[in-house]
Amino acid sequence: IIVDIIELARELGAKIQEDERYLNLKIASQVNDSDENLQTLINEFNLKRINVSNELSKSTHDDEKIRLLNEDLQKCYNEIMKNENMINYNRAKADFDELMRRINAIIVGCANGENPRTVDVLKSECSGNCSGCAGCH
């Protein structure tokens, strides 16, 4: 029976990869990767983040310089988040994450004895991540 369960998990994985939400996320990710302006902004953001980190790691750091670096970092972040391709990616990611939360909640609920036909994230409020959970009821 273990082989059957593993095979079912593989089938579920294949179905996930056929789902519109998965496909939308993959396409949005590819579009982001090919957006030169967005990639330049992301590289700038990463460099600015390193600059902030380097300044903070100094034994004596200039608070005003850190404040200015953080402002610059935030402006760059805001530009990234205003990019139409990034907006589309974030929307697609949120949709896919919701699908995965629902799937995980159903699996965890079933593993905890809930009815496979009725358990759902909407009913269980389970995020699928047990690290911050007080326990299933």
Side-chain angles (χ1 to χ4, degrees):
I1 193 161
I2 292 175
V3 174
D4 292 337
I5 292 172
I6 298 300
E7 188 56 36
L8 286 172
R10 293 182 193 286
E11 288 178 30
L12 175 60
K15 290 295 184 188
I16 289 169
Q17 290 179 345
E18 294 172 5
D19 187 88
E20 179 180 322
R21 290 157 286 200
Y22 173 85
L23 296 172
N24 288 342
L25 179 60
K26 292 307 263 182
I27 291 167
S29 181
Q30 292 169 353
V31 169
N32 275 1
D33 289 346
S34 65
D35 182 334
E36 291 181 24
N37 181 48
L38 179 60
Q39 291 306 309
T40 298
L41 287 170
I42 290 171
N43 288 334
E44 286 177 19
F45 176 83
N46 288 331
L47 289 174
K48 291 174 189 300
R49 190 177 56 187
I50 290 169
N51 288 340
V52 170
S53 179
N54 286 342
E55 188 63 34
L56 286 170
S57 69
K58 293 179 180 177
S59 58
T60 57
H61 49 266
D62 181 345
D63 289 337
E64 180 61 15
K65 184 175 182 180
I66 291 171
R67 186 186 67 75
L68 293 173
L69 288 170
N70 275 322
E71 281 181 10
D72 198 28
L73 182 68
Q74 186 63 47
K75 286 178 188 173
C76 188
Y77 175 81
N78 291 340
E79 284 299 310
I80 290 169
M81 298 314 286
K82 285 193 286 187
N83 178 287
E84 190 66 31
N85 291 327
M86 183 57 79
I87 291 168
N88 292 336
Y89 171 84
N90 285 332
R91 194 174 301 127
K93 176 122 176 57
D95 290 345
F96 182 71
D97 287 349
E98 179 59 29
L99 171 67
M100 293 308 299
R101 267 191 300 280
R102 193 167 181 195
I103 290 169
N104 286 333
I106 292 168
I107 291 170
V108 169
C110 291
N112 287 317
E114 294 188 43
N115 184 333
R117 302 277 180 239
T118 60
V119 65
D120 201 321
V121 70
L122 303 174
K123 294 178 184 173
S124 71
E125 299 291 322
C126 178
S127 69
N129 179 357
C130 298
S131 65
C133 185
C136 294
H137 304 284

